Amino acid sequence: MSPSTALVVGAGIGGLTAAQALRRIGWHVALYEQAPFIGPVGAGLGIAPNAVKALDHLGLGAALRDRGLRQDGLEIRLRGGRRVARIPAAGIERRYGAPFYALHRAEMHRLLMTGLDASDLHTGHRAASVTTASETASVTFDTAQGPVTETADLVVAADGVGSALRAALLPGCQGADYAGYTVWRGIVPARRAASLGIAPILTETWGRGARFGVAAINDGQIYWFAGESVPEHAALEHDLDKVAGRFRDWHAPIHELLAATPEESLLRHDVYYLHARLPTFVHGRVALLGDAAHAVTPDIGQGACLAIEDAVTLAAAVERSGVDDGLSVYDAVRRPRTQRMARTSGRLGRILQTRSRTAAAVRDSIASVIPTPLLTGATGAAFAWNPPSG
């Protein structure tokens, strides 16, 4: 009997993990990506304990530990430098059974592509439409050579927050909402980072209408992000000096990090998420996964992590229950958790990005008085997830 077949649309973190998970249970998987090639793009990425456990389940945990940088904790500071909260790594690991890692997104891509056959990765394929039958599903792609239609036992729609397949399957559903802010991201290379002495502690600094985050990642590099509350589609210049100007009076080493960042590594993205709850993640033999199903804001650090969870859950469900019943299980298990977290992320983003002096003062005061055990426990909604047993 020939193996079951899956067609994964989108070669991001979620799509690649889905390919790994389905291959692990004996499926033949073909990946389709709209970009013309898979290259070292993106910035930093946090892999929280829930996703670490998912990768362990797939046999990829050792590779993560080898390539990622284990974090010693999480901390929050104010723009003047005062620390208002810290969660030590020991408490996280003891409570949730795994550590927290950070690494370059491109390194995570390389990890997830390990063992995948290059002949099964098809770039330059933009999903245009999808159809479902009783036991198959088909996707038509626009390519440089013209339209191409591919069919498989299962289609995994992992084509991101602006998912074309989600829009095709659920045309009456509201699309992604603007979260109210934009994010700049950059990487300080190892040769420039060595003198800055950044400890492996995920740090976020809060101001009014702005935040700045820092993480030491793999290979001696430093990842940073800067969030700014701006109107949707604001015409901001793609200029590192302009970003530095916005944070010029914030605590060290923020200015030094920006000064050490190569201009070519600067990225900017307006933040969108799915506030509206989709009625289903499944349509026939098509399963929505990751941002296509439940895009969250960066405020809970769970975008990639939830997509990794999705992939593990999907593969386990179809292995145990067959495709049709397994997809029903996947939908029932994943929708409540991920939709709750998407809405939570949007609310948290509004609080953290507030421009109000009064609201920011209340936010900072609350953060400074919460006991560490309570802070550690507050992360449980995300970190406490465990892979399907058996």
Side-chain angles (χ1 to χ4, degrees):
M1 180 183 294
S2 58
S4 298
T5 58
L7 189 161
V8 177
V9 181
I13 300 296
L16 288 170
T17 309
Q20 290 283 359
L22 290 168
R23 285 178 69 252
R24 185 173 177 269
I25 62 171
W27 285 50
H28 179 266
V29 182
L31 278 148
Y32 293 83
E33 167 59 41
Q34 68 178 7
F37 61 90
I38 305 296
V41 297
L45 183 68
I47 303 297
N50 50 311
V52 174
K53 289 180 282 188
L55 292 170
D56 280 336
H57 180 80
L58 296 178
L60 297 170
L64 173 67
R65 288 167 174 79
D66 180 58
R67 302 184 191 198
L69 183 64
R70 178 187 171 279
Q71 301 298 296
D72 290 338
L74 315 174
E75 93 179 7
I76 299 167
R77 293 181 178 270
L78 304 184
R79 60 184 296 173
R82 181 168 70 92
R83 188 174 75 190
V84 294
R86 186 175 187 212
I87 306 176
I92 294 173
E93 292 185 42
R94 182 169 55 250
R95 187 159 190 154
Y96 303 114
F100 207 118
Y101 288 88
L103 70 169
H104 198 293
R105 182 175 289 267
E107 189 65 35
M108 189 66 191
H109 273 241
R110 283 190 285 268
L111 186 160
L112 291 171
M113 291 182 71
T114 301
L116 298 181
D117 191 329
S119 65
D120 291 327
L121 179 58
H122 307 274
T123 57
H125 282 63
R126 180 183 293 274
S129 62
V130 59
T131 59
T132 63
S134 60
E135 296 185 353
T136 62
S138 301
V139 179
T140 298
F141 299 93
D142 290 332
T143 75
Q145 291 74 40
V148 174
T149 299
E150 302 289 349
T151 300
D153 300 314
L154 169 66
V155 168
V156 178
D159 53 338
V161 61
S163 172
L165 297 187
R166 180 184 68 230
L169 293 169
L170 302 168
C173 291
Q174 179 180 331
D177 289 294
Y178 181 54
Y181 65 99
T182 196
V183 174
W184 304 88
R185 294 181 172 91
I187 296 289
V188 179
R191 67 181 184 280
R192 300 185 185 183
S195 63
L196 296 177
I198 302 295
I201 298 172
L202 291 170
T203 301
E204 187 169 288
T205 299
W206 296 347
R208 281 196 296 126
R211 283 176 291 161
F212 197 97
V214 180
I217 60 174
N218 58 295
D219 300 331
Q221 303 169 99
I222 300 171
Y223 162 62
W224 62 262
F225 68 87
E228 182 179 7
S229 296
V230 294
E232 188 176 12
H233 307 308
L236 301 175
E237 293 183 59
H238 194 76
D239 186 329
L240 194 52
D241 289 338
K242 298 290 186 182
V243 179
R246 293 181 177 93
F247 294 89
R248 62 181 176 274
D249 59 348
W250 289 44
H251 69 81
I254 290 173
H255 178 75
E256 292 82 357
L257 284 167
L258 293 169
T261 301
E263 188 79 37
E264 62 270 19
S265 82
L266 185 65
L267 301 171
R268 184 179 79 83
H269 301 286
D270 290 341
V271 177
Y272 290 84
Y273 76 111
L274 282 177
H275 176 265
R277 293 186 174 99
L278 301 184
T280 181
F281 288 174
V282 171
H283 191 285
R285 288 287 184 98
V286 182
L288 296 169
L289 183 144
D291 283 353
H294 49 71
V296 298
T297 72
D299 303 285
I300 57 173
Q302 283 289 314
C305 298
L306 290 175
I308 292 169
E309 288 183 15
D310 286 350
V312 168
T313 304
L314 175 63
V318 299
E319 181 183 31
R320 290 177 182 175
S321 305
V323 179
D324 296 313
D325 288 345
L327 288 175
S328 295
V329 170
Y330 167 75
D331 181 52
V333 169
R334 294 307 295 166
R335 259 193 308 127
R337 170 173 169 78
T338 56
Q339 290 180 337
R340 182 172 61 250
M341 294 185 73
R343 290 195 164 212
T344 296
S345 75
R347 289 194 296 269
L348 186 59
R350 289 190 290 274
I351 293 169
L352 298 182
Q353 287 290 146
T354 182
R355 287 187 173 277
S356 163
R357 185 183 299 275
T358 300
V362 171
R363 174 200 67 192
D364 299 346
S365 296
I366 291 173
S368 66
V369 299
I370 298 176
T372 296
L374 189 59
L375 269 177
T376 305
T379 62
F383 295 175
W385 180 89
N386 288 298
S389 59

